Amino acid sequence: MTAITFSHIGITVPDLERAVEFYSMAFDCYVIMGPTKVSQDDSAIGQMCDDVFGAGWGSFRIAHLSTGDGIGIELFEFPKTRPEKRPFEYWRPGIFHICLQDQHLEERVKRIEALGGRQRMSQVRYYYPDEKPYRMVYCEDPFGNIIELYSHSYELTYSAGAYV
């Protein structure tokens, strides 16, 4: 069998327009579908959402973006979603970050910061100092979602036996 491919990730945000602007400008994502309202009804999408969210979800707003390699970023804004400062509890079960790739990490971090995000780490780090140019850095979007940046592909970074 062939390994499956990654389709998209869904991220809940308190300000959909700001999130679309951030992800499209910070990461050059394509806007596939701008902010759109989805309401609970008998449509196909309404029924799908009933299955996912349960009875009484009402409505939400959604936008669809895509990275240069076709991976989707689904942005959700629910009526109950409010800005909040959450503690960084990386040890809790669940997804604690997404990772995007760009060989120009330092320039990308400047764009992230200019658009309201922040760099979490004190500096960009090398996986193999003085051996290979593979770098990484953790950042946050304006809403506190963690975004890791790699300079090279996941396969290149780890196939050489990282941490050995």
Side-chain angles (χ1 to χ4, degrees):
M1 293 182 89
T2 303
I4 63 171
T5 57
F6 196 88
S7 174
H8 69 277
I9 186 161
I11 303 172
T12 299
V13 297
D15 184 338
L16 190 59
E17 281 77 10
R18 184 169 182 213
V20 169
E21 177 184 33
F22 177 81
Y23 281 89
S24 64
M25 295 179 74
F27 303 113
D28 298 312
C29 290
Y30 304 107
V31 178
I32 304 300
M33 184 180 82
T36 303
K37 184 175 182 179
V38 176
S39 297
Q40 190 170 19
D41 58 23
D42 290 329
S43 68
I45 189 71
Q47 292 175 11
M48 287 178 216
C49 292
D50 286 346
D51 290 346
V52 174
F53 304 128
W57 57 271
S59 68
F60 63 88
R61 296 174 65 231
I62 189 169
H64 295 271
L65 287 72
S66 179
T67 62
D69 59 347
I71 303 302
I73 297 178
E74 245 179 351
L75 300 170
F76 292 84
E77 178 188 302
F78 296 93
K80 293 180 182 178
T81 306
R82 301 286 180 261
E84 62 181 56
K85 289 284 186 190
R86 292 174 298 180
F88 182 49
E89 297 175 330
Y90 53 86
W91 64 90
R92 296 188 63 142
I95 297 170
F96 92 83
H97 73 277
I98 64 170
C99 185
L100 300 169
Q101 182 180 319
D102 184 351
Q103 288 194 355
H104 308 286
L105 295 186
E106 293 78 7
E107 292 83 7
R108 188 66 64 179
V109 169
K110 288 177 186 173
R111 288 169 69 180
I112 289 168
E113 292 174 334
L115 291 161
R118 76 180 191 98
Q119 180 175 321
R120 281 195 62 86
M121 297 172 63
S122 62
Q123 63 185 316
V124 172
R125 298 284 182 179
Y126 283 82
Y127 274 96
Y128 307 98
D130 302 319
E131 291 179 40
K132 296 179 182 175
Y134 304 166
R135 303 176 328 281
M136 60 79 70
V137 64
Y138 274 82
C139 298
E140 290 182 17
D141 73 7
F143 316 106
N145 295 303
I146 309 298
I147 302 163
E148 183 179 15
L149 298 175
Y150 271 16
S151 61
H152 292 75
S153 75
Y154 190 80
E155 290 173 324
L156 277 176
T157 301
Y158 292 104
S159 63
Y163 315 132
V164 179

